[in-house]
Amino acid sequence: MQKKWWKESVVYQIYPRSFKDSNGDGIGDIQGIISKIDYLQKLGVDVIWLSPVYQSPNDDNGYDISDYYNIMEEFGTMGDFDALLGELHNRGMRLVMDLVVNHTSDEHKWFIESRRSKDNPYRDYYIWRPGNNGARPNNWESVFSGSVWEFDEQTGEYYLHLYSKKQPDLNWENPQVRNDIFNMMHFWLEKGIDGFRMDTITTISKVTSFPDAPIVKENQYQPATQFYLNGPRLEQFLGEMKEKVFSQYDIMTVGETPGATPEEAIRYTNEENGFMDMLFQWEHIEADPGTGGKWAGDSWNLLDFKRVMTKWQKQLEGKGWNSLYLSNHDQPRQVSRFGNDTEYHAESAKMLATCLHMLQGTPFVYQGEEIGMTNVAYESINEYRDIETLNMYKESIAAGKDPNELLVMIHKKSRDNARTPMQWDESAHGGFTSGIPWIQVNPNYKEINVKKQIDDPNSVFNYYRNLIQLRTKYSIIVYGSYELILDDHEQIYAYTRKQEDKTLLVIANFAASIQEFRWDKVNHFSVKELLISNYEVEEKLAPAITLKPYEARVYLLHEETSRL
Ligand code: NOJ
């Protein structure tokens, strides 16, 4: 396995709108980020992934780009961006940008041209189809509810949008589109950025006959991912991107790839002829069972979780590279979803971090996770801002659903759970802004905030710090091979990592109850060095460990003969 800087790094994701506002307009901005670089450096992360900061009308908070070459005015200027990049580089940190090229905003100049007339030179930059006997070209459902097709009166045709109607999909079949995108990527790479997180990259190639999807739902539109996920020309497009762009720089690339299988991941990320360094697999965060899609499922179990994580760990080992994450700006807060955000808040936040960071792959920390920020439960739909949430609510109300039941689902799954302002201190709005925040702060900001945690050696923040430092000291954490133990234990996730004569043992109790872990699982080792734990550990070499609620421990084991 080759050694690479991005395998040894820890990435911190910033959602700029909610991170830190420097000018009191209620919206986070680049100067706000600059003012917190000391904080990020103290945490120990070395790569920053910025969610989109390009010019955008913000239908989907920046994932609808109207100008790839300019910074969103609310976030600052290109001068601010250059200052951020320079400041990060001065400190030996790196910056990865979001690359959103499945679609643009409908306010992008290409689309403004494209919709003007059927013979406009930009017409073919997007996907236009005539109606089907007065109806939409097919029955595909948009990720954000409703149809993927929007009728445009000017030319009497429909355009395709997998996401909102203000996010028309680019036509990757058109070589000019590809060239324009590759040029734009060079523009940012030549500025010196250190890589891209590639938004919904596996949807850029569609089945261009646009057939109807089989009917699986009673309502009008049907899930159609089989016609646009990992589509027929995806690998060709990615190959071209690699050849014309990526191969010319020492960068890190991570693809957002919903529904990817380990086999696809190996094809996309293998070091010989893959297209990207790593990808975000979705299986572990889609482990909520049920057929009702994202909103319906709200339970998960550790056995499934371990099975999925182990599958990815084992199958990619030596063949590809994993990204490790439990949260991002599209997911509920991890401590609320997989841990316990009440009685064992700090314990479970630390346990989840331990379990994730000791796996093989590059760990991603989503802003606020390092202080254990939790889900929010606004009482009224009017407090919500996320287009996916609002569209689902509107559609469900129109279909006669109970608003209170919808709110319960939204409390669990809305993307706004992750988008409440960063909680810096106990002052108004958590110290995020001196103005009125674009979305309300989580009311628990007085208990959970950076100021309270930064100097407390037992805080979640300092635990993350220690965890991240361990990665820089022990190469076994980065490169060791993985083995699951206690396969069918329903409360404990335990695994080993092995490198030469060393073994790392990770034990994580996912339950609010006491559990017992017996050393005989790893009994041929006799030297046990505790690297980190989220409780005071008293007993040394007892035959069994009594794990407290959400307790996690990491031991370095040496075989007797290789005692250090
Ligand atoms: C995935 C992004 O993470 C999400 O926030 C966005 O809404 C969609 N892609 C569309 O760009």
Side-chain angles (χ1 to χ4, degrees), residues 194-326:
D194 302 286
F196 287 114
R197 174 268 185 187
M198 301 145 81
D199 186 66
T200 185
I201 198 66
T202 40
T203 58
I204 59 178
S205 162
K206 282 92 178 168
V207 171
T208 53
S209 56
F210 294 97
D212 268 335
I215 296 180
V216 295
K217 293 204 323 195
E218 278 169 32
N219 66 4
Q220 216 184 337
Y221 305 112
Q222 304 300 325
T225 49
Q226 64 270 45
F227 300 114
Y228 62 74
L229 257 186
N230 306 303
R233 294 187 70 200
L234 175 68
E235 296 188 22
Q236 198 181 326
F237 297 156
L238 291 177
E240 201 178 318
M241 186 183 278
K242 179 182 172 187
E243 184 204 323
K244 295 196 171 153
V245 188
F246 295 158
S247 60
Q248 301 169 28
Y249 304 88
D250 174 24
I251 52 171
M252 164 186 149
T253 53
V254 49
E256 189 205 25
T257 59
T261 62
E263 292 74 26
E264 281 153 355
I266 292 167
R267 281 212 306 283
Y268 300 166
T269 70
N270 78 80
E271 285 168 5
E272 266 160 54
N273 53 16
F275 312 110
M276 54 186 86
D277 298 322
M278 62 188 112
L279 51 74
F280 293 125
Q281 62 90 6
W282 281 51
E283 248 186 292
H284 66 304
I285 50 155
E286 284 189 333
D288 304 329
T291 50
K294 150 171 181 158
W295 298 100
D298 68 353
S299 63
W300 68 284
N301 69 69
L302 186 64
L303 287 180
D304 282 343
F305 184 82
K306 295 198 300 191
R307 184 184 45 75
V308 167
M309 297 311 265
T310 301
K311 174 169 100 180
W312 281 85
Q313 289 285 300
K314 297 296 287 177
Q315 294 201 25
L316 263 59
E317 197 164 292
K319 299 195 185 126
W321 189 251
N322 272 299
S323 71
L324 306 171
Y325 75 103
L326 293 174

Side-chain angles (χ1 to χ4, degrees), residues 115-116 118 123 128 150-159:
R115 76 184 339 169
R116 270 190 218 285
K118 289 187 187 165
R123 183 66 169 182
W128 292 95
E150 182 70 11
F151 184 69
D152 198 57
E153 278 185 359
Q154 213 156 325
T155 54
E157 286 192 335
Y158 293 82
Y159 65 86

Side-chain angles (χ1 to χ4, degrees), residues 163-182:
Y163 293 88
S164 103
K165 62 181 183 205
K166 283 185 68 63
Q167 292 168 299
D169 280 53
L170 283 163
N171 177 17
W172 273 74
E173 301 290 330
N174 181 346
Q176 269 173 301
V177 168
R178 305 204 292 275
N179 263 339
D180 281 355
I181 288 171
F182 298 156

Side-chain angles (χ1 to χ4, degrees), residues 60 63 100 103 144 163 167 197 199-200 256 329-330 415 419:
D60 186 18
Y63 283 92
V100 189
H103 45 265
F144 289 166
Y163 293 88
Q167 292 168 299
R197 174 268 185 187
D199 186 66
T200 185
E256 189 205 25
H329 63 295
D330 293 330
R415 304 194 299 179
R419 299 175 179 187

Side-chain angles (χ1 to χ4, degrees), residues 13-19 51 61 329 366-367 419 438:
Q13 182 192 352
I14 292 184
Y15 195 67
R17 205 170 187 76
S18 303
F19 190 62
S51 274
N61 289 351
H329 63 295
Y366 176 65
Q367 69 182 41
R419 299 175 179 187
W438 69 278

